[in-house]
Amino acid sequence: MLRVVLAEDAVLLRAGLVELLTRVGHRVTAAVGDAGELARAVDADRPDVVVTDVRMPPGHRDEGLRAALELRARHPGLPVLVLSQYVATAYATQLLGGGASDGGGLGYLLKDRVGEVADFLDALDRVAGGQTVIDPEVVRVLLRQRTDDEPLRRLTPREREVLALMAEGLNNQAIARRLTVTEASVVKHTGNIFMKLELDPADGNRRVLAVLTHLRGDTAA
Amino acid sequence: MTVAVWEAVRRRPGRFPVSGWVPRCWAFLLGGTVLGLVVLVVFAALVAAGTVLAPVGAGLLLLLAAALLGLPVAALERRRLRLVDPEPPPSPHGTPPRADAPAWLGARLRERATWRELAYTLLLGVVLTATGLGFTALLGLSAVLTATPVIVWAVAPETVMLIPGKAVPHPLAALPATAVGLLGLLLAAYTGGLLAGAHVWLAKALLSPRDEEPNGRVIELTRSRARLADAFEAERRRIERDLHDGAQQQLVALSMTLGLAELELRGHDSPAAPLVTRARAEARGALDQLRDLVRGIHPQVLTDHGLPAAVTEVALRHPVPVTVDIDLPHRLPAAVETTAYFTVTEALTNAAKHGGATRVTVTGRLRGDTLLLTVTDDGRGGADPEAGTGLQGLADRLAILGGRLTVTSPAGGPTRLRVEVPCSA
């Protein structure tokens, strides 16, 4: 059971998310509609995980995302799962760049993902558990475009698959399951990837960050 | 510059003397002569009195009035031109910043048009009056000669002498004079046409707005165009927000409900399960489409993160590899960002669709107050701004902001789009 603070300004969707989370046994301590209320609810409830929309009143810009980053600064390690309408990698980078280093789970999922209920709940659990989850769609956009990149081109197709799943935030065990290979061969692949991309093999979060940073390369704005 | 009267003479010289042009030209020239005389007298009086009274101070006002005499004269002349020209020139003067007299005076004294009008007025007073008087004499003499038989008949038994000492005995004896008079009138018809034409030409040359002086209408046109563009942009954003906050969220809620139903049906061997799964996939497809549509209307990342980030996102999604190098010291005005963004996306689309490019580079820098963007591709070139609506549309969009689009695209490539947008808005 997770104690969740939920911020989403669309009433229908908010009610649906509350129902979904409650039905699977989580407790939504507060379901709010704007960034200010979100901050107050988190300060008061100290939830296990925050689920927030990017775009929220009053400005209907990236208030939700910025509120999440401020909350992470105030409550280091607070797990935050951001639900976004945008594939835009700038938001994912903004989220990850703004406080992943102090630990605690972070997630950037496209809103459509809540339709795949099992995936969504799994992502929520992983974020609450301190892992980093990036939407496969965002990863796909990043990976596809960087294939002209010299080090990336040195990867075998299988290694690229592993990299994509790594970027999504899956651990070796989960990658092995997804690709139906042994965990040992995943370890071998990741070792090769880190070597070819000249990355430091590190723990989960930093691993994702390293991958993302590399994927976005110097095009990051 | 075409002068309608001259055109009329040139096209049908034989018919001109009996056309409606002749009385209008004569009226125009005679009116101009009278006006010229009045102007000459008024101007001379103002300058003389002004010079004499200058030490008292009041004279300066008179001299100022003399300097501004061109304004009413030119206004009258532009109206008078309608007599002999279907397209009289518009006023070259702009609208003063405020409605009060000092603002008006300041604006007028700074305008070059004011001084051209003064020059025209002086020409009218001297040269045009002189020629006008000569023409009046020709016309008057011809009229008198033509009418001699009538005069002889009317004043009899008094004697009429055309040549001193030689009386004309009776009306019929004056017929040769009539012939000479008619010849004179014929001459006056052509001379009038040519002179009126010269007058029109001079008036148009001196009293029309010059290119570098946008007149009131052009300024108003530019403003209304900018207002339209702003309104259009606001509408775009409204539609984007409505779609985002309405339809998109409802679809997400729908797909979530379907996902829940799927979860409930799992394990039960229900025939509804595959239907629910299919419905969820369809909702997902609709969401994808809607997301692309919303991005095409106005991308949120442009509003939140600015031009470099928004262009980078487009580049990431583009079928052709794109290198983005946009380095700006700060955010630009929203209108500039939006226009620049859509210019780049259109250019990228063209590069992929028509150019056969394998590599595109987008650079952006701020030089002073101007955003410089270049989009270069290694495609086959031959892009023609006149041919497609795409490039023309971009140029139009840029023109609203006072920007410029330069396309160099030799056959065989490369194609290079250069965009300049002033950011001082």
Side-chain angles (χ1 to χ4, degrees), chain B residues 4 64 101 131 139 199 201 227 276 278 301 336 345 350 372 379 407 419 425:
Chain B
L64 186 65
T131 53
L139 193 60
H199 196 144
W201 185 87
R227 276 198 301 272
V276 172
R278 202 170 86 200
V301 67
V336 175
T345 53
N350 283 347
L372 284 184
V407 182
V419 175

Side-chain angles (χ1 to χ4, degrees), chain B residues 81-288:
Chain B
L81 280 176
R82 281 184 215 168
L83 203 55
V84 286
D85 198 281
E87 287 170 37
S91 168
H93 296 290
T95 313
R98 293 186 312 278
D100 55 313
W104 179 87
L105 190 64
R108 286 296 170 267
L109 287 177
R110 270 194 298 276
E111 283 175 329
R112 266 193 247 169
T114 305
W115 306 106
R116 287 204 309 273
E117 286 175 344
L118 181 64
Y120 175 84
T121 302
L122 295 178
L123 275 172
L124 180 74
V126 180
V127 180
L128 294 182
T129 303
T131 53
L133 283 175
F135 174 77
T136 308
L138 170 70
L139 193 60
L141 190 63
S142 304
V144 170
L145 282 175
T146 308
T148 314
V150 183
I151 297 168
V152 171
W153 169 78
V155 300
E158 298 291 315
T159 54
V160 174
M161 284 185 282
L162 283 175
I163 299 159
K166 272 189 97 176
V168 180
H170 52 87
L172 284 183
L175 279 180
T178 302
V180 175
L182 283 174
L183 272 177
L185 285 179
L186 191 64
L187 184 65
Y190 286 112
T191 319
L194 295 179
L195 280 180
H199 196 144
V200 168
W201 185 87
L202 188 70
K204 281 196 161 180
L206 288 175
L207 305 184
S208 296
R210 295 280 164 95
D211 280 347
E212 71 271 22
E213 299 167 335
N215 68 25
R217 259 171 56 194
V218 173
I219 291 171
E220 188 41 47
L221 204 62
T222 311
R223 282 194 191 137
S224 77
R225 206 165 55 161
R227 276 198 301 272
L228 265 178
D230 284 350
F232 178 63
E233 205 44 60
E235 188 66 359
R236 270 183 110 99
R237 279 167 197 252
R238 191 190 62 74
I239 293 170
E240 185 255 348
R241 179 175 296 187
D242 284 356
L243 283 176
H244 179 92
D245 294 344
Q248 262 184 324
Q249 308 289 358
Q250 293 215 351
L251 271 174
V252 171
L254 169 68
S255 85
M256 187 176 60
T257 308
L258 288 169
L260 265 175
E262 214 177 9
L263 206 64
E264 295 284 326
L265 285 168
R266 188 177 289 174
H268 304 75
D269 192 18
S270 165
L275 289 179
V276 172
T277 306
R278 202 170 86 200
R280 197 172 55 73
E282 282 164 4
R284 175 84 204 256
L287 257 177
D288 283 347

Side-chain angles (χ1 to χ4, degrees), chain A residues 13 16-17 20 23 55 60-61 85-86 88-91 94 111-112 115-117 144-145 219, chain B residues 240-241 244 248-249 252 255-256 259-260 264 280 284 291 300-301 303-305 312-313 316-318:
Chain A
L13 190 53
L17 279 167
L20 170 61
R23 197 176 275 236
R55 178 142 122 170
H60 289 282
R61 287 177 58 170
Q85 203 66 260
Y86 320 110
T89 54
Y91 296 100
Q94 189 184 359
K111 269 194 186 170
D112 324 10
E116 283 141 53
V117 175
R144 202 194 53 189
Q145 273 304 319
T219 57
Chain B
E240 185 255 348
R241 179 175 296 187
H244 179 92
Q248 262 184 324
Q249 308 289 358
V252 171
S255 85
M256 187 176 60
L260 265 175
E264 295 284 326
R280 197 172 55 73
R284 175 84 204 256
R291 195 167 45 215
Q300 182 68 15
V301 67
T303 314
D304 290 344
H305 290 264
T312 303
E313 296 297 341
L316 285 172
R317 237 172 287 281
H318 199 65

